[in-house]
Amino acid sequence: MFLRFQSAVPNSRGAYPGIFAMTNGLRDSGLLTDDDAEWVRRHNAHGNRAYTDPSTVAAECYSTTVNPGARSGFKDDALSLLQMARRYTVLLDRYEVPWVELRTERPGRIVYDDAVQVVAVPFVHEEHWPLRAPHRSL
């Protein structure tokens, strides 16, 4: 199972940013208190030390031309990473930023995979996610 925490509404480009991008956006816009901005700085630094940035391993994983719409998701057994992510959702709740949790067994075409996360291009066209009746023998 894969989980993704993302904006409940699209941004100006029509994308649904993840919770880390949304939190960094609050920080970069000066909308966080000094204490919360420091909290984000510390937790981002911890995340950068503890987890691989997929783009440092698979440079084109987020490429809008090669992998349009690619987005990250967490593996459901990545408990430390999920606990960290949930702390970010608490901060977003405090600032009344709407987010949703998505769960799926098939996040799309996987373009990066490690022990705790994947980056996948979601299925967006019928040919990517065919819904066919099961074949039955006579």
Side-chain angles (χ1 to χ4, degrees):
M1 176 71 65
F2 300 96
L3 292 85
R4 176 170 170 77
F5 302 91
Q6 69 178 32
S7 175
V9 295
N11 62 17
S12 61
R13 295 183 317 274
Y16 292 82
I19 57 169
F20 301 133
M22 291 189 309
T23 303
N24 291 339
L26 287 173
R27 180 204 58 210
D28 296 347
S29 298
L31 298 173
L32 298 178
T33 66
D34 290 344
D35 288 345
D36 284 341
E38 175 58 22
W39 182 92
V40 169
R41 186 198 65 71
R42 281 193 333 272
H43 283 79
N44 282 356
H46 166 74
N48 290 336
R49 285 189 309 273
Y51 304 105
T52 300
D53 173 350
S55 64
T56 64
V57 177
E60 294 185 334
C61 69
Y62 293 115
S63 166
T64 58
T65 54
V66 178
N67 296 308
R71 56 190 71 166
S72 57
F74 307 129
K75 295 182 177 180
D76 64 350
D77 61 353
L79 300 181
S80 293
L81 181 54
L82 289 169
Q83 288 171 346
M84 180 177 136
R86 293 199 186 280
R87 287 191 290 270
Y88 277 74
T89 65
V90 169
L91 185 137
L92 291 172
D93 287 344
R94 195 164 51 249
Y95 286 87
E96 299 180 355
V97 176
W99 59 274
V100 295
E101 178 180 332
L102 305 176
R103 293 172 171 259
T104 185
E105 292 287 339
R106 295 187 54 196
R109 179 175 51 86
I110 295 176
V111 297
Y112 174 82
D113 186 356
D114 70 25
V116 296
Q117 63 188 328
V118 296
V119 176
V121 178
F123 299 121
V124 294
H125 302 290
E126 184 178 352
E127 64 269 19
H128 296 151
W129 195 304
L131 301 175
R132 298 186 184 117
H135 183 295
R136 295 197 176 142
S137 302
L138 296 176

